Amino acid sequence: MLKQGEDQNEGNHATGVASLNIEENSDLNSQMATRKEKDKNDSSTEGEKKEDSNKVVPFHKLFVTADSLDIMLMCIGSLGSMGTGVCLPIMTLLFGNLIDAFGSNKANIDKVVHEVSKIALEFVYLACGAGVAALLGVSCWMCTAERQAARIRSLYLKMILRQDIGFFDSETSTGEVIGRMSGDTILIQDAMGEKVGKFIQFITTFLAGFIVAFIRGWKLALVMLSMIPLLVVAGGSIAMVIFKLSSRGQQAYAEAANIVEQTIGSIRTVVPFTGERKSIKEYDKSLKIAYKAMAQQGLAAGFGIGSALSIMFAGYALALWYGSRLILKGSYNGGQVLNVIFAIMMGGMSLGQTSPSLSAIAAGRAAAYKMFETIDRKPDIDIYDATGLVLEDIQGDIELKDLEFRYPARPDVQIFSGFSLEIPRGTTAALVGESGSGKSTVISLIERFYDPQAGEVLIDGINIKKFQLKWIRQKIGLVSQEPVLFASTIKENILYGKDGATQEELKAAAELANAIKFINKMPQGFDTIVGEHGTQLSGGQKQRIAIARAILKDPRILLLAEATSALDSESERVVQEALNRIMVNRSTIVVAHRLTTVRNADMIAVVQHGSIVEKGSHSQLIINPSGAYSQLIHLQEVHQPKEQNVKDPDDLEIHQDSSKAVGRVGSQRSSSRRSVSRGSSGIGGSHRSFSFSYTFPAGVGIQETVAIEESSQPKGNRKRRDLFRFFRSNTKVDVESGQSDSEIDVPILRLASLNKPEILVFVLGSIAAAINGVIFPVFGLLLSSVIKVFYEPHHELRKDAKFWALMFVVLAVVSFIVAPTQMYCFSIAGGRLVQRIRSLTFAKVVHQEIGWFDDNKNSSGAISARLSTDAANVRSLVGDALSLVIQNLATITAGIVISFTANWQLALLLLAIVPLLGFQGYMQIKFMKGFTADAKVVYEEASQVANDAVGSIRTVASFCAEDKVINLYNEKCATPLKSGVEQGTIAGIGFGLSIFLMFCQYTVNFWVGAHLVKDGKTTFDDVFKVYFALSMAAMGVSQSAGLAPDLAKVKSSVNSVFKILDRSSKIDASEVSGTTIDNVKGDIEFQHVSFKYPTRPDVQIFRDLCLFVHSGKTVALVGESGSGKSSAIALLERFYDPDSGRILLDGIEIQQLQLKWLREQMGLVSQEPILFNDTIRANIAYGKEGVVTDEQIVAATEASNAHRFVSSLPQGYNTTVGERGVQLSGGQKQRIAIARAILKDPRILLLDEATSALDAESERIVQDALDRVMVNRSTVVIAHRLSTIKDADLIAVVKNGVIAEQGKHDDLFNKRDGIYASLVKLHKSSS
């Protein structure tokens, strides 16, 4: 079976390499890449991945971060391990003397007692030495590994943050980074800690054993040496196979983790498109591959152990037979022969025991390869490069000269060709133009996120590359359309602008940004925690904090990418004034659609297809009616209502619903309007929010109490769920299991029910484990019988030696069959259980109601981590622990039976010592348990910091916050590091004590045994029977004690798993009950609806809201920020259920309808579309179940005005959009999302700011497309731009949780003192 697996692996590898070559030679410039090309790309990357997974770093490189204390600890640890290793061979010497003392003095009993007492004392000395050596060996290695792993984590994070943005676009993802920091560093820590100590110990035992054997009897030792090459070959080949298989398993699990990230992170997109089943199917596919690798790994490991044991036993058979010959010749005595056999046995066994250490070291070296590759990678644009010009200040002259530029992730798409632009110091330049024209790319190049391939970016006439990067970035302030806030306090967020700023400076910055008013209203003021990625604040509030942060930086150059797009009219006016104030004497580049922000600019440049087609001031450009700028204005004026005699397109908008915080329909959308002006991966474009870390309980300050200004909207939009939750609450929560201390334990027996289908495999495995357990006590029995044989008369010796040698051969055959059977069966059972647990849990998670995901404990990072850790912990129980328990029970039972039949008095005495061993094991468990839980949570907290920083790398880079993040990370790592060191010390004490007690047990055994022989109560071979049987049993006990640390983890994991499995979703899409309507008309009615978000029960969103949407008609919802417009859509999609009142579809309450069917009737297009890291084709097809033809996809993209830009991409519909669609501009993403909704062909259309991210040209065409698809469909529109709602059949104004006004545009506009009319006027005056 293994062979076949290997061949298959090689085959895949060959395919990968072959396809790589084809890939290189193929012509990629076709308009629409075929599916064949996509498959080819997949296999080529697979080939590369496999190549990577087989690379390792040299062992010594693991220790590059060691300091002098670590070197000292490693030296002491090595000496301790060597000391422990030497003890067993020394023991065999004492043992040989002991056997001689018994065997040679059968006639003189008194002499036996005297000799044995002398040797017993030597045993006590050995016990003390061994105990101390073991303590030092384990403690020093564990402590130094903990210290070095912490340093590697920190160094890796530092080097990741050092990389250029292009690296994040194309070479890594947040998920991968966090996976390496949380998963791979543990493997590395394992490879340079205790496992190295164990390896040194076992190798020392091996070498010392052979030295002792050769000194005592070289002839016999030479014969026994013949089994060593066999052992090495068997062990080595098995280790290679296991390594290959584990790489394959890890790869599959990484893919599974990515699916979890994408699904949970985009749950608000998955749910409305009923994509749960699709995600579960993909997830199960990855799990299947991992399961196969796991089962084969078990079989390989079983063959490894089985072959080692059988070679060993066969070796003893040979040694016994040859030893008897040597005794007959008179050149050896029995003690000598046994000394050699034992010394070689100890040495040989130790060599066998190095394999777990070797595989751990190999796994660590493989894990380190990718990490160290990143650590060694020298970025082209290096923030830590201290060379370069540092001037006193800069004047702010900016010039872009003949730029040629392509994004590293999309080398086949030309963004700029010969692009030039000059901005004199202190002036404001505005860039306008359609989506994807490259406006934001200008900002990225000035921030030096990328370097152009040709041409230069000059500041004050000096090429930007000549400046010290950190210094020049500190002179540039960036405010992007989607502000990234870190999950700490408002104060700390603003302080990112300038470390160590005074409270006065903070307040001044907040005042300038028009933020001081709302900050002061909050109960904790500046110390208010903003929530995950700022979700506790409205969009407008977030933007103002981001502006305050930029103001505090006091930059010479200001870059504003749609900086006021997220603000309502009033805030926009005031913030615009603030921006105007701070723009004075600063060189400013503005990317915008609203002409209010652009009109006063000193120069306006119109960008088209990567070049400037027109530039001049507003008044100069407006003169030319056929100019590009005038065309842009004209496009918007076409849609302008007649009543408003205004010239500027921004007057066509009503202020943004900036606060769509928690209840954000657009799956984690940010509140701000999506940038039209994103080049393929413009500012803030990299939303990598995948993480393998954990998140923390809610309880952030403002959650309970704030109900003020715009923050009175639902809690956080889940946007980029895992970003910046640096702080946790005081509630002590086991994050991994997601449970509080007070929760009820689930009996581990419940796991058995999940493993029911594998009952036969279990039975077979258990039988094999029991037989395997009996092998060692039987081996002890054979050995003790052999001891007697060597002191028999010659004729009996000849006959008995042959018989017992044959018995050893039988034992060899049995162990070769039993070990693989045991390992394989338990691998199947454990593997199936993991597969089942992961699959069931994931299926349960995706069907939870949206309110469940609003809870911080259930973010994508936490869920992903829970799935992997919990399943792995449970697998260690079923796969490894259970088989060991059965094996050890058999060992103990057999040991006790054999020893009691030999001599019950001696056996009873020795059993009295066993509780001591048990007590020591129990104490170790207690100590271990105490330290693991806390450390676990805090490392997750540290991972979260890293996750957040990498997910918002552009913000970190532009504020030069790398060192700040690293310091914070190191702070979070300090506690687990300390407890790791404590744990190492305790483990060392435990191990030292058990070794000490083990040697003491031998002492008591032989000393008492000698006295019993003297009193005639037993014979000398019975003393050895008792000794061997019980020492083998004790070995079993100590192995079980080694499992101790895992049990606490397993328990919490089992609780965690069943907590999810037992939770029934309040709104469950997998529920098939409920009615369906054969012919949906589309009448929607809200009857007296009251609603509060589950996570913000103190903020009332709707109070008795009533609204009727007639079938086939369009209703537009308008209102201030946070008035609850988007909540209406969330309730229609049944993300939440109202607290009271009813929502009806065609007269039937939607709670009575089958949920999946209901969601299939609706098409949702949200303001900030979430795309999956897949091809454009797959993203569009996501909207429809079943087979989707190319014709349907093309028809949908044509309707959404996307076909043209998709076809122009080199790989057409097979272009991968990147994480969260980062490779596309905002407008392009939106058009793909609209195509996805069109393909679904829904009866009800929900448009939440669907065209806000588009430039005028795209908006006009998409609006036409939407107008076409809205025909005969009931449509609910949320919008600020009047061009999108003036023709609605009904406009409803939402205020204070009720519909305050409703009617047609003309009626409402002409209503004196009407709310709608005042909204329009307010907007008009702000322009």
Side-chain angles (χ1 to χ4, degrees), residues 1193-1234:
I1193 284 177
V1194 171
T1197 46
E1198 276 174 346
S1200 71
N1201 179 30
H1203 180 64
R1204 202 181 64 188
F1205 93 77
V1206 175
S1207 307
S1208 69
L1209 296 169
Q1211 282 162 313
Y1213 283 84
N1214 289 328
T1215 304
T1216 301
V1217 300
E1219 255 186 70
R1220 302 282 151 116
V1222 69
Q1223 299 295 338
L1224 304 179
S1225 75
Q1228 291 169 336
K1229 282 203 282 189
Q1230 191 58 287
R1231 282 175 275 171
I1232 299 293
I1234 292 170

Side-chain angles (χ1 to χ4, degrees), residues 738-814:
Q739 66 166 32
S740 302
D741 291 349
S742 56
E743 283 176 18
I744 305 154
D745 272 356
V746 176
I748 284 187
L749 285 174
R750 268 195 72 185
L751 272 184
S753 62
L754 284 179
N755 243 151
K756 239 185 219 158
E758 285 77 46
I759 195 86
L760 287 172
V761 181
F762 261 126
V763 171
L764 182 61
S766 303
I767 292 169
I771 297 171
N772 206 1
V774 173
I775 284 176
F776 272 93
V778 168
F779 172 56
L781 184 66
L782 295 183
L783 273 179
S784 54
S785 308
V786 167
I787 291 172
K788 192 178 79 175
V789 169
F790 286 150
Y791 293 95
E792 285 177 342
H794 283 193
H795 64 283
E796 278 183 40
L797 171 60
R798 230 184 234 104
K799 183 177 69 157
D800 287 352
K802 274 183 191 164
F803 171 75
W804 290 114
L806 207 59
M807 286 295 102
F808 272 112
V809 173
V810 170
L811 205 57
V813 173
V814 171

Side-chain angles (χ1 to χ4, degrees), residues 936-1099:
K936 191 174 67 179
V937 175
V938 189
Y939 260 134
E940 281 135 28
E941 212 172 318
S943 281
Q944 194 63 39
V945 172
N947 178 46
D948 298 343
V950 177
S952 297
I953 187 67
R954 281 173 163 79
T955 304
V956 172
S958 76
F959 283 96
C960 304
E962 293 86 358
D963 292 337
K964 194 166 179 168
V965 169
I966 290 158
N967 292 338
L968 186 60
Y969 182 78
N970 291 340
E971 254 172 57
K972 299 280 179 207
C973 285
T975 313
L977 175 62
K978 188 166 160 256
S979 62
V981 170
E982 284 170 351
Q983 202 178 323
T985 315
I986 282 155
I989 292 170
F991 186 58
L993 199 60
S994 62
I995 295 240
F996 172 75
L997 287 172
M998 184 175 82
F999 283 126
C1000 288
Q1001 185 197 10
Y1002 302 157
T1003 311
V1004 173
N1005 179 61
F1006 294 119
W1007 188 77
V1008 173
H1011 280 278
L1012 286 174
V1013 171
K1014 181 186 171 188
D1015 296 345
K1017 299 228 172 100
T1018 186
T1019 61
F1020 112 93
D1021 61 308
D1022 281 348
V1023 171
F1024 283 98
K1025 260 185 202 160
V1026 172
Y1027 160 70
F1028 277 121
L1030 282 183
S1031 61
M1032 292 297 168
M1035 212 166 82
V1037 172
S1038 65
Q1039 263 186 315
S1040 293
L1043 285 171
D1046 294 338
L1047 284 177
K1049 275 191 202 163
V1050 170
K1051 192 78 177 121
S1052 87
S1053 290
V1054 172
N1055 289 346
S1056 164
V1057 166
F1058 282 107
K1059 188 176 174 218
I1060 292 179
L1061 292 182
D1062 292 343
R1063 186 185 192 280
S1064 49
S1065 172
K1066 290 172 187 159
I1067 304 171
D1068 189 358
S1070 61
E1071 188 62 62
V1072 287
S1073 62
T1075 53
T1076 57
I1077 304 169
D1078 291 336
N1079 194 5
V1080 180
K1081 293 210 304 258
D1083 285 328
I1084 302 166
E1085 187 178 2
F1086 287 77
Q1087 285 185 353
H1088 309 291
V1089 170
S1090 293
F1091 173 64
K1092 296 192 282 278
Y1093 281 97
T1095 45
R1096 297 276 290 282
D1098 48 347
V1099 179

Side-chain angles (χ1 to χ4, degrees), residues 110-174:
D110 286 333
K111 195 176 178 192
V112 169
V113 175
H114 174 70
E115 288 291 324
V116 169
S117 299
K118 218 161 64 180
I119 297 167
L121 195 60
E122 287 167 1
F123 262 112
V124 173
Y125 298 148
L126 186 64
C128 296
V132 173
L135 185 153
L136 290 174
V138 173
S139 299
C140 292
W141 275 111
M142 277 181 83
C143 295
T144 185
E146 192 73 53
R147 287 164 50 88
Q148 290 180 64
R151 237 172 269 138
I152 289 176
R153 280 190 190 101
S154 182
L155 182 64
Y156 179 65
L157 178 61
K158 182 177 179 178
M159 291 308 164
I160 275 286
L161 296 178
R162 175 190 186 178
Q163 299 306 322
D164 45 69
I165 302 292
F167 175 78
F168 293 94
D169 288 346
S170 50
E171 290 184 48
T172 191
S173 66
T174 313

Side-chain angles (χ1 to χ4, degrees), residues 206-281:
F206 166 69
L207 294 172
F210 278 76
I211 291 167
V212 167
F214 273 91
I215 291 170
R216 292 286 279 157
W218 66 270
K219 284 182 186 169
L220 181 57
L222 215 54
V223 169
M224 286 194 76
L225 212 59
S226 60
M227 67 181 184
I228 297 297
L230 287 172
L231 275 173
V232 171
V233 170
S237 52
I238 296 292
M240 273 168 62
V241 173
I242 290 176
F243 179 65
K244 265 190 180 171
L245 289 169
S246 74
S247 298
R248 200 187 303 168
Q250 274 172 345
Q251 190 63 50
Y253 277 142
E255 277 161 29
N258 234 355
I259 293 164
V260 176
E261 289 297 342
Q262 289 220 6
T263 307
I264 310 301
S266 313
I267 194 73
R268 287 159 189 269
T269 303
V270 173
V271 165
F273 286 95
T274 59
E276 297 98 337
R277 203 179 299 164
K278 208 173 271 185
S279 296
I280 294 168
K281 203 169 158 189

